[in-house]
Amino acid sequence: MQKKIFSYFKPNPNSSDSRPEGTGSASDDHTSTKIDDPPTPSLTDSLTPSSSNHPPYPDIGNITIECSQQDRVKLDLLTNTSWEHVAKYKFPLRTIRNVNRSLQWSWLEKYSWMRYSVVNDAVYCAPCVLFGPQRQDTKEKTFSLSSPVTDWGNLSRCVSRHINEKSKHHDNVLAATEFLRIKSGEKSDILESMSESFNARIKRNREVLSCIIDAILLCGKQNLAIRGHEEKHSNLIALLHMRAKDNIVLADYLAFADPQKKYTSPDIQNELIEICADQIISTLVQDCNDSKYFGFMSDEATDCATKEQASICVRFFDRRQSQFERNFLASRKHPEQQERHWLNFFWNN
């Protein structure tokens, strides 16, 4: 207690980071800016081929696993799908089982999830690349980054196996659709939804706690006992139920909240009373610090158990009201120790 009160009365030192007016570092006055620096090329520009006949989306063959987690790359691969010059593009020939074959552009128009890589001359599945697991040990052609499809003779079989009912491709397509809905604003992000729910719960708890504190302060001002013989018939609970008639949030809280988390137990009441006492003491101490002169008065009395108790009051000049104020500060047992403590405290401050 002594340390807490001592910190209240101790003058506030100047902050360490404050500096005299007119002084400052060189970085505050001069900022070096390179005007002629060329703009840094974006990641999408480095992945997209420069030819007009090439696909409009980034070359998926140059994308790494870390790069595929970026939202900008996901949007470019999922939205830029209208390849207008796909029929004019000359897909390279490759000898497969002694037959020269090349990718037919009709496959790209038939399956919207399929993406062609100019660098690797291979096709990938955009949703599976962006939202599916990237296994490095698989030997099956799964249209992923580690195993794209390049066998044009078996492309039909690979597509049928990739889009069958048991494939994870459908889950990845659903994840890609949800991602586009979130980015377009049609649906809120799961983290945003959780944050909104969490903030709403915090707001409700603060409103309920404010009502409980107001009821405790009213009992203190009117000199009413907070607790009675039974907790459900106490003055505090009666005041809360009275206020709940005009407060839907408080009424719902008192009716459906967990009995162990209602913040109305005697322990919580005592804790709230101590917090309110600390706030009152800090206000009185601040008023004493703002006044040019202040002092304290102490008196002691003997209770029915023949034990002495000391009451301490402070007196100061209130500049705002231009009058002297006298307020009760503390009441403790062992009056000799209390008087010695406050004498030493005021003498040192």
Side-chain angles (χ1 to χ4, degrees):
M1 190 67 179
Q2 180 179 0
K3 184 177 181 181
K4 184 183 294 185
I5 300 298
F6 178 81
S7 63
Y8 285 152
F9 278 88
K10 190 174 183 180
N12 295 326
N14 294 329
S15 59
S16 58
D17 58 346
S18 61
R19 54 188 178 184
E21 184 178 0
T23 62
S25 60
S27 59
D28 296 334
D29 299 331
H30 302 282
T31 304
S32 58
T33 305
K34 296 181 179 181
I35 302 178
D36 298 332
D37 288 347
T40 304
S42 62
L43 181 61
T44 306
D45 296 337
S46 62
L47 298 176
T48 305
S50 58
S51 176
S52 59
N53 292 335
H54 285 179
Y57 43 81
D59 196 311
I60 196 169
N62 291 334
I63 295 177
T64 61
I65 296 179
E66 294 78 8
C67 180
S68 64
Q69 303 303 318
Q70 299 182 11
D71 291 350
R72 182 175 56 182
V73 176
K74 291 181 181 180
L75 287 174
D76 289 338
L77 282 175
L78 295 176
T79 56
N80 298 329
T81 58
S82 58
W83 190 356
E84 299 178 358
H85 305 287
V86 60
K88 299 180 181 179
Y89 183 79
K90 295 182 180 180
F91 294 94
L93 294 174
R94 184 185 301 121
T95 303
I96 302 176
R97 289 180 291 275
N98 298 324
V99 178
N100 292 330
R101 298 179 181 273
S102 63
L103 177 65
Q104 301 298 318
W105 60 270
S106 57
W107 287 98
L108 299 174
E109 286 193 341
K110 183 177 181 180
Y111 298 102
S112 59
W113 49 265
M114 190 177 295
R115 300 292 183 272
Y116 176 72
S117 172
V118 178
V119 176
N120 297 335
D121 188 27
V123 288
Y124 300 77
C125 176
C128 294
V129 169
L130 300 177
F131 300 97
Q134 302 298 327
R135 296 180 54 186
Q136 302 292 337
D137 56 346
T138 180
K139 296 181 180 180
E140 183 182 359
K141 299 301 182 180
T142 58
F143 294 88
S144 62
L145 286 178
S146 59
S147 60
V149 175
T150 57
D151 189 358
W152 311 133
N154 290 327
L155 182 59
S156 177
R157 183 183 305 175
C158 293
V159 170
S160 300
R161 187 167 54 248
H162 185 69
I163 62 176
N164 62 30
E165 296 180 356
K166 298 181 180 180
S167 175
K168 297 294 183 180
H169 166 76
H170 303 285
D171 296 336
N172 298 330
V173 171
L174 181 61
T177 304
E178 292 296 316
F179 172 79
L180 292 177
R181 291 181 60 188
I182 291 173
K183 289 300 180 180
S184 62
E186 297 180 6
K187 185 178 180 180
S188 59
D189 190 359
I190 181 64
L191 295 178
E192 183 179 353
S193 300
M194 292 175 61
S195 178
E196 291 178 357
S197 176
F198 181 73
N199 293 333
R201 186 165 65 252
I202 290 178
K203 183 179 179 180
R204 185 205 65 170
N205 293 339
R206 287 180 176 176
E207 183 176 352
V208 171
L209 186 59
S210 177
C211 295
I212 296 175
I213 294 175
D214 291 341
I216 292 177
L217 293 177
L218 179 61
C219 291
K221 291 179 180 179
Q222 298 302 118
N223 230 358
L224 298 176
I226 296 179
R227 297 184 288 272
H229 296 289
E230 296 182 3
E231 183 179 355
K232 61 180 179 179
H233 298 307
S234 63
N235 292 331
L236 176 64
I237 301 300
L239 288 173
L240 291 178
H241 282 284
M242 177 63 69
R243 187 169 183 179
K245 294 181 179 180
D246 300 328
N247 192 323
I248 300 178
V249 177
L250 181 60
D252 181 76
Y253 181 83
L254 294 176
F256 302 104
D258 188 354
Q260 297 181 354
K261 300 179 181 178
K262 280 190 174 182
Y263 291 94
T264 57
S265 64
D267 294 336
I268 297 298
Q269 295 174 18
N270 293 335
E271 185 176 352
L272 292 176
I273 291 173
E274 292 180 358
I275 293 175
C276 294
D278 289 341
Q279 293 294 324
I280 294 174
I281 292 176
S282 63
T283 303
L284 292 177
V285 170
Q286 183 63 39
D287 291 339
C288 291
N289 288 333
D290 295 339
S291 178
K292 187 175 182 180
Y293 302 102
F294 65 90
F296 73 96
M297 298 175 294
S298 177
D299 193 8
E300 62 184 50
T302 304
D303 57 9
C304 59
T306 66
K307 291 184 179 180
E308 294 181 349
Q309 295 185 0
S311 298
I312 300 175
C313 298
V314 292
R315 189 181 184 190
F316 58 92
F317 182 76
D318 192 349
R319 295 182 178 181
R320 292 170 296 183
Q321 300 182 5
S322 300
Q323 63 181 5
F324 285 95
E325 293 288 340
R326 182 184 300 174
N327 292 285
F328 175 77
L329 185 61
S331 176
R332 295 288 187 272
K333 296 181 179 180
H334 309 293
E336 295 181 358
Q337 297 180 4
Q338 283 295 315
E339 290 180 1
R340 189 181 305 112
H341 159 68
W342 286 103
L343 282 173
N344 293 332
F345 171 72
F346 276 93
W347 180 262
N348 294 327
N349 293 274

